[in-house]
Amino acid sequence: MAVDRLSGFEAVFLDPVGQVVQQRWADAALAVAFEELSPVSAFPVIPGRRWGPGLWWSATTGRHVAAGSNAMRAQLMVLDRDPQVTGLAGRPVRLLWRDGRGRVRSWVPQLFARYRDGTGLLADCPSHTGAGGARALSAAEAVSDACEEIGWTYRRLTPLDDVLAANLKWLAGYRHPRNQQRPGLMPAVLKAFTRPRPLLEGAQAAGDLLEVLPAVFHALWHGQLTTDLEAPLHERALVGPGSLPHTGAGVPADGRLQDDAGEGADGCDEETGDISETAEGADTDAGGDEAGARGGEAV
């Protein structure tokens, strides 16, 4: 999409007390902690869908993150395990710009992640190739340009493989700190897997299975232990020591923007007379997700 570079990009967001703020995008990106903000617009509830909007309890921040779809929750799981991620938020900012014909356009990326180096990731989470259509692809080009201007990244995150998604969902049930169990148990668990060995064998070496297995799964979630999550997780899966790499949550190895559209992005493309006049356009978010996973809900 052609963007009027003279008009620049603007950001709309809710401040900590819930007031709508609009300012120049470059200024907002520098000064605003988007990871601490509430959604600038709510995820829609679509009648007839199996999933609805919910909350994901983040092990990274100890707070809930708004999620609008099952696909988005899967990407939140990946980002929540990334040791380089320090903050997460759902829909914290709306970007505004003028296209080449002077019309105001806007888009609300589904997901924001803050990295340790201070940079940010804006992302949409498609559930399938082509979700969102041409409008989403056009908006993606503009949002990508806006992020590139300030040294951030925009991505359409590739949907996870079914096996990987299932494994992460299982481990997510043990992400809460309570699954470390009693003091002194985790060192014994890590010691049991100083060399790669079958999951059940190592767990038995560390103590009582009922007590040890939640700690093993907790350590796998947090990267204190590692296993091949691309293969089904079972009692003979090899588990060993290790740390998690910075994955970028489904970002392809070559770092290029994917050609699939971001399901669940705001889908707004209002045409107004002034860049400050916005409306809540139709939302293309398909589906959602219930809050929390087994063992991971906030208490």
Side-chain angles (χ1 to χ4, degrees):
M1 171 184 286
V3 175
D4 181 358
R5 298 295 181 182
L6 294 178
S7 66
F9 293 94
E10 296 201 9
V12 177
F13 54 92
L14 302 180
D15 66 16
V17 297
Q19 298 297 310
V20 177
V21 177
Q22 180 173 328
Q23 66 182 90
R24 198 166 70 97
W25 164 240
D27 295 335
L30 182 65
V32 177
F34 290 117
E35 63 271 33
E36 298 179 1
L37 300 185
S38 300
V40 69
S41 63
F43 287 99
V45 176
I46 302 178
R49 297 284 184 174
R50 178 182 177 185
W51 301 102
L55 298 173
W56 169 263
W57 184 83
S58 168
T60 298
T61 66
R63 299 198 300 257
H64 284 96
V65 180
S69 69
N70 198 31
M72 181 178 174
R73 185 186 70 169
Q75 301 296 350
L76 277 170
M77 288 191 293
V78 178
L79 284 165
D80 206 12
R81 296 183 72 233
D82 190 330
Q84 297 303 315
V85 171
T86 61
L88 293 164
R91 277 188 160 185
V93 62
R94 178 191 300 276
L95 285 174
L96 301 172
W97 67 94
R98 290 185 183 275
D99 66 16
R101 298 168 60 184
R103 298 175 301 181
V104 172
R105 302 300 193 194
S106 77
W107 194 260
V108 179
Q110 285 181 297
L111 183 57
F112 172 77
R114 177 78 67 183
Y115 291 116
R116 290 192 184 278
D117 63 2
T119 60
L121 168 74
L122 288 176
D124 287 311
C125 308
S127 63
H128 59 87
T129 301
R135 181 170 56 180
L137 288 174
S138 296
E141 294 179 13
V143 177
S144 183
D145 288 344
C147 288
E148 185 176 354
E149 286 183 3
I150 60 171
W152 287 11
T153 304
Y154 170 79
R155 292 284 183 263
R156 277 197 177 80
L157 301 179
T158 305
L160 302 187
D161 173 80
D162 289 344
V163 173
L164 175 59
N167 286 339
L168 289 180
K169 185 177 180 180
W170 176 266
L171 295 180
Y174 299 92
R175 67 193 184 276
H176 196 279
R178 60 173 170 258
N179 290 293
Q180 296 179 80
Q181 307 290 41
R182 60 175 170 81
L185 178 61
M186 189 58 72
V189 168
L190 300 182
K191 183 178 179 180
F193 291 99
T194 51
R195 61 174 178 82
R197 63 196 302 187
L199 187 154
L200 188 61
E201 177 185 306
Q204 289 173 329
D208 179 70
L209 286 179
L210 289 178
E211 182 181 45
V212 170
L213 282 174
V216 171
F217 295 138
H218 181 80
L220 282 168
W221 170 267
H222 287 279
Q224 297 163 291
L225 297 176
T226 56
T227 189
D228 181 9
L229 294 179
E230 302 288 345
L233 185 61
H234 54 79
E235 64 181 20
R236 300 298 299 171
L238 287 180
V239 174
S243 59
L244 288 167
H246 170 34
T247 61
V251 175
D254 61 8
R256 293 178 298 177
L257 188 68
Q258 299 298 292
D259 289 332
D260 50 346
E263 175 200 42
D266 188 78
C268 299
D269 61 348
E270 301 87 354
E271 299 178 18
T272 64
D274 185 88
I275 200 165
S276 65
E277 296 176 13
T278 61
E280 187 63 39
D283 197 302
T284 61
D285 195 327
D289 189 59
E290 297 295 332
R294 180 191 57 267
E297 297 88 341
V299 293

